[in-house]
Amino acid sequence: MSELVFVKLGGSLITDKAKPLCARREVIASCAGAIAQALSGGTQLLLGHGSGSFGHPLAARYSTRRGVRSPSEWFGFAAVAHAARLLNVLVIGALLEQGVPAFPIPASALAIARGGELRSLDCRPLQEAWEAGLLPVTYGDVAFDDEWGGTIISTDQLFAFLAPRLRPHRIVLATDTDGVFEADPHRFPGAKRYQEIRAGECQAVLRQIGAASGPDVTGGMADKVRRMCELVRSMPGLRVQILSGHVPHVLAAAIMGRATEAGTTIVA
Ligand code: IPE
C-alpha cells in the first residue's frame, strides 16, 4: 500500500493576499509540477488549497465565518463560494496541464458544520476518486451550519477532521514562508524559524507568533499551528510539516517524505 499524504497549498502561497482575486499562476503551475512528481513516485494524495485573496476579502465583508442569517449575508455566502471555486478552477486546470487527473471535492457540497466546526463530511466521494485513479482536490469553502446557518471551513479544519478517519502518514502544508517564525519573516527578516514544534509547547509558540498579513477570516498561521498541534496530540505517529511552496523540488521531496529538514515540523 502506498503512503497517504495530505497536502495543502496555502492561500498566501497561491494568491497575492494584498490584491483581491489575484492568483499567482506561476506558483500554482510550479506546485502542480511538484505534485505531479510526487504522484509519479507512487504517493497517494489528498490535495487541499486555501482561498487567499479570493475567498477571504468577501468573507470578511459579509462576516461569513461568524454565521449567515440575513438575505445580504446569504448573498455573501454564495459570493464567497463562487470566489473559492474560481481559484479551485485555476488549481485544477494547472494540474490537468501536468497530466494529473485532478477532481474537485468542494466542502460546501459535502460538509455540515455546527458552531463553526466541521460536524460531518461524506468521505465516500474521496474514496471513489482514489479508486478511480483521480486526485481529489478540496479547498477552504463555505458550509451550511446547524447553529449559525452558514460558516467558513478552512482546509486546515478539513484536514483535522479527515486525518483520524483516513489516517494519513503525514501532512504537508505549503505556505509563503519557510515554516513557522517567531515573527512575520516578511516584515522582520531576522525572525527565528522554529525547526520543530512539540505539541506540548503549543501555547508558548502561539503567544510568540505574529498575526496574519491581509484579511484572514480563518485565523492564519496561529490557527494552523493550534489545530495541527491538537491533531498530532491525538495521532502521535503523525508528522505535520509546514514549509515554503516556492521551491518545487523541496515541496515534492517533502510530500514524498524526503525533505525532513525543510520548514517547521510539528510532532507529538
Ligand atoms: C479559507 O480557507 C476559505 C475561505 C475564506 C473561503 P483556508 O483557511 O484554507 O485558506 P487560506 O490558506 O487561509 O487562504
Side-chain angles (χ1 to χ4, degrees), residues 8 10-11 17 50-52 55-56 59 80 84 140-141 152 154-155 216-218:
K8 176 185 179 184
K17 276 195 133 179
S51 210
H56 282 286
V80 173
D141 201 354
I152 301 278
S154 70
T155 315
D216 193 321
V217 300
T218 47

Side-chain angles (χ1 to χ4, degrees), residues 6-20:
F6 290 1
V7 180
K8 176 185 179 184
L9 306 177
S12 63
L13 171 69
I14 60 172
T15 74
D16 182 340
K17 276 195 133 179
K19 296 186 195 144

Side-chain angles (χ1 to χ4, degrees), residues 238-259:
L238 182 68
R239 271 172 69 88
V240 177
Q241 196 171 1
I242 301 176
L243 82 172
S244 165
H246 286 296
V247 191
H249 72 271
V250 177
L251 176 58
I255 297 171
M256 294 185 280
R258 294 182 198 148

